[in-house]
């Protein structure tokens, strides 16, 4: 069992600058991070600090509105829109029996499809249009621009994942063309006293291939290492926290980790978080890559699709989403 108790830091600067050997060096660091601890920081990633600050500002703008205004764009069957305080319960946790809903509220934004997009017109699951607040000038443009930046960063990272798996750097180019993503803009109020089974967000693993968590000056994230210890993620200036999830496990036949993590805000003030979850194209069959299977390593998971997997996951997790689905059926 690994005894790694420190989140590695990967400097993307040389790789993004195209320096000789930098891709292989970064891929080796990535492989270590994802096989030993499941989390890593990236620095010199190219995202402008002012864009990150503005995205946090937009999150605070949205959540400062009255609850009645936010509920006008209540979360829908595509999992876009507003999830109110204690609107989800992480019953899927593998490390703790979770009985209390999460003490946070969140706005979910997906790829900003136009209403006349072919998949939006037929109301295909997870390919609907976003629900934008009507009374926040500039909000849509700012948040959609941030999502565009995050997608570009993901597309620079996935070649490193391919090389870390012993695959050609272009291996994930097809799967991640028109990739599926969600930005979760979360508000965590301060929690005064410890309650055993109440969290800002309870111990869980993400579903994603990868998650990018924006640099945050307010602490609150903890991760569970392979030794079973919980460690707090430090706040590194202008460093994104990156981790894998359940889809990454499926792609890699459990070679790469989906590490449990949680969040509790004990800062004395408000905490906002920007988590960008990214997966392959919604139609791509997710199955173990060739370098992770063999005669003595059969696939541990059946091939699945984003839609099939997420429909079942969200039924078990998003309490208000279940309400929204019932309303839609009436």
């Amino acid at each position: 069992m690994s005894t790694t108790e420190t989140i590695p830091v990967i400097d993307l600067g040389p790789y993004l600058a195209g320096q000789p050997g930098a891709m292989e060096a970064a891929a080796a660091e990535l492989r270590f991070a994802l096989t030993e601890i499941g989390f890593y920081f990236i620095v010199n990633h190219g995202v402008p600090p002012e864009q990150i600050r503005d995205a946090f500002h937009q999150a605070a703008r949205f959540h400062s509105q009255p609850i009645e205004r936010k509920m006008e764009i209540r979360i829908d069957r595509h999992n876009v829109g507003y999830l109110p305080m204690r609107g989800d319960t992480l019953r899927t946790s593998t490390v703790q029996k979770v009985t209390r809903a999460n003490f946070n509220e969140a706005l979910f934004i997906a790829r900003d499809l136009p209403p006349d997009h072919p998949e939006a017109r037929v109301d295909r699951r997870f390919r609907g249009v976003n629900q934008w607040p009507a009374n926040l000038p500039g909000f849509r443009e700012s948040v959609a621009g941030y999502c565009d930046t995050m997608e570009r960063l993901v597309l620079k990272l996935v070649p490193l994942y391919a090389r870390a798996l012993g695959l050609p750097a272009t291996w994930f180019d097809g799967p991640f063309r028109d990739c599926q993503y969600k930005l979760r803009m979360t508000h965590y109020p301060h929690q005064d006293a410890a309650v055993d089974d109440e969290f800002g967000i309870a111990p869980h693993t993400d579903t994603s291939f990868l998650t990018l968590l924006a640099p945050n000056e307010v602490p609150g994230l903890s991760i569970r290492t392979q030794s079973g210890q919980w460690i707090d993620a430090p706040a590194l200036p202008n460093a994104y926290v990156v981790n894998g999830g359940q889809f990454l496990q499926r792609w890699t036949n459990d070679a790469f980790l989906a590490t449990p993590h949680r969040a509790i805000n004990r800062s004395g003030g408000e905490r906002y978080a920007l988590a960008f979850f990214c997966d392959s194209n919604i139609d791509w069959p997710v199955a173990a890559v060739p370098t992770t299977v063999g005669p003595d390593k059969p696939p541990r998971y059946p091939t699945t699709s984003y839609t099939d997997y997420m429909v079942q996951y969200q039924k078990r997790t998003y309490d208000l989403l279940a309400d929204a689905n019932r309303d839609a059926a009436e």
Side-chain angles (χ1 to χ4, degrees):
M1 179 177 290
S2 169
T3 57
T4 302
E5 305 291 320
T6 303
I7 302 174
V9 179
I10 300 177
D11 183 352
L12 293 182
Y15 162 63
L16 296 179
Q19 293 183 13
M23 172 181 280
E24 298 306 318
E29 294 180 60
L30 178 69
R31 181 176 181 84
F32 173 83
L34 290 176
T35 55
E36 296 297 321
I37 195 166
F39 272 72
Y40 61 96
F41 288 103
I42 53 173
V43 296
N44 295 319
H45 41 69
V47 181
E50 58 272 17
Q51 188 174 30
I52 298 170
R53 287 194 297 270
D54 182 62
F56 275 108
H57 170 66
Q58 300 302 337
R61 282 181 77 199
F62 175 80
H63 287 298
S64 67
Q65 298 180 107
I67 183 62
E68 296 81 8
R69 179 72 70 174
K70 290 181 283 191
M71 286 296 286
E72 291 173 359
I73 55 170
R74 186 178 74 163
I75 195 168
D76 64 16
R77 66 190 294 269
H78 304 294
N79 197 35
V80 295
Y82 173 65
L83 184 74
M85 198 72 68
R86 296 190 171 93
D88 62 335
T89 305
L90 291 173
R91 303 179 184 90
T92 55
S93 177
T94 59
V95 295
Q96 180 162 338
K97 184 176 180 181
V98 176
T99 59
R100 291 176 181 263
N102 289 318
F103 189 52
N104 73 64
E105 58 181 335
L107 176 66
F108 289 86
I109 301 295
R111 184 179 297 280
D112 200 20
L113 300 178
D116 61 351
H117 187 280
E119 292 175 311
R121 284 207 312 267
V122 299
D123 198 35
R124 185 181 180 188
R125 189 70 185 268
F126 304 123
R127 295 288 281 179
V129 298
N130 281 316
Q131 299 194 77
W132 296 103
N135 61 327
L136 296 179
F139 182 89
R140 179 176 185 172
E141 295 76 11
S142 175
V143 174
Y146 180 77
C147 288
D148 289 344
T149 298
M150 289 296 96
E151 182 182 14
R152 287 193 293 270
L153 179 54
V154 166
L155 296 180
K156 293 170 184 175
L157 287 173
V158 291
L160 298 180
Y161 280 71
R163 294 304 302 133
L165 291 164
L167 298 164
T170 57
W171 183 267
F172 290 113
D173 286 2
F176 278 82
R177 189 173 297 116
D178 193 27
C179 55
Q180 188 74 1
Y181 65 70
K182 288 279 169 57
L183 174 67
R184 177 175 178 145
M185 309 177 77
T186 309
H187 170 222
Y188 296 99
H190 173 74
Q191 292 180 252
D192 289 315
V195 178
D196 286 344
D197 57 351
E198 182 172 75
F199 301 87
I201 190 164
H204 68 286
T205 58
D206 294 343
T207 59
S208 55
F209 181 94
L210 66 82
T211 303
L212 288 158
L213 187 65
N216 202 330
E217 297 177 357
V218 182
L221 174 67
S222 301
I223 74 169
R224 188 176 186 268
T225 67
Q226 295 303 290
S227 66
Q229 299 298 310
W230 284 96
I231 63 171
D232 294 332
L236 300 185
N238 205 34
Y240 275 86
V241 183
V242 190
N243 64 279
Q246 295 157 31
F247 275 111
L248 183 66
Q249 283 185 307
R250 287 173 170 263
W251 278 104
T252 66
N253 208 27
D254 282 348
F256 288 174
L257 297 169
T259 297
H261 50 287
R262 65 191 184 192
I264 304 174
N265 179 16
R266 305 283 192 216
S267 69
E270 308 305 307
R271 182 176 187 264
Y272 300 93
L274 304 172
F276 187 83
F277 307 98
C278 194
D279 286 290
S280 60
N281 183 287
I282 197 169
D283 292 316
W284 202 272
V286 177
V289 299
T291 54
T292 64
V293 296
D296 59 340
K297 293 190 299 182
R300 297 184 178 185
Y301 305 99
T303 301
T304 190
S305 70
Y306 179 91
T307 300
D308 289 346
Y309 192 82
M310 292 305 295
V311 164
Q312 296 305 314
Y313 177 84
Q314 292 183 357
K315 280 181 180 177
R316 301 192 303 270
T317 302
Y318 290 105
D319 305 330
L320 193 70
L321 185 58
D323 295 340
N325 287 336
R326 282 195 295 270
D327 292 347
E330 293 175 355

